[in-house]
Amino acid sequence: MNERPLQEPTLLLLTALADEPRHGYGLIQEIDAISQGRVRMRTGTLYGALDRLVQQGLIRVEREEVVDGRARKVYALAEAGRDVLSAETERLRAVVAEAERRLAARRAHAIRPKGALA
């Protein structure tokens, strides 16, 4: 379904829903934890992204509930979202492996004594 790399907010949202369903505020907290405070998703951005991901079939509304007189939705990762997240995880794993290989090759080249054969 998705051949392009995921944008970071989408990756973080799908990751936050990978282990259990969450409501909006829980997602904001989870994204903050996953990104170690680097990404702080604003409410308007969050709900726009959630609506888009529901429309794309990557997440679903698991249930709606009323807490302290306020309605809230609990979102869950849909099977298509799990597939997209899994594919993105594999893509990122391959990129990291190649980056590590190249960095190691560069380090090996840098510490080779002058005049040593390659």
Side-chain angles (χ1 to χ4, degrees):
M1 175 185 173
N2 190 358
E3 295 177 15
R4 295 183 315 146
L6 294 178
Q7 296 292 319
E8 187 173 29
T10 300
L11 176 61
L12 291 170
L13 278 168
L14 296 180
T15 301
L17 290 170
D19 59 344
E20 66 182 66
R22 291 186 165 81
H23 55 79
Y25 182 68
L27 286 166
I28 289 172
Q29 292 178 310
E30 199 64 21
I31 288 168
D32 184 62
I34 291 167
S35 70
Q36 299 176 334
R38 190 178 48 78
V39 175
R40 297 186 190 269
M41 192 167 285
R42 293 196 166 109
T43 306
T45 303
L46 172 70
Y47 286 103
L50 290 171
D51 288 344
R52 178 179 50 80
L53 294 172
V54 167
Q55 288 176 346
Q56 292 175 343
L58 300 180
I59 66 172
R60 60 184 169 74
V61 176
E62 178 161 285
R63 68 182 180 275
E64 295 185 47
E65 54 193 24
V66 177
V67 177
D68 296 329
R70 299 181 68 179
R72 77 174 175 194
K73 294 179 181 177
V74 176
Y75 297 90
L77 192 61
E79 199 57 42
R82 190 167 303 285
D83 292 344
V84 166
L85 182 58
S86 179
E88 182 69 358
T89 300
E90 289 303 314
R91 185 191 71 78
L92 290 170
R93 187 174 286 123
V95 169
V96 167
E98 181 61 15
E100 288 174 336
R101 185 191 69 77
R102 290 174 182 232
L103 287 168
R106 179 69 180 154
R107 280 191 300 270
H109 179 73
I111 61 172
R112 192 174 297 132
K114 284 188 178 185
L117 298 175

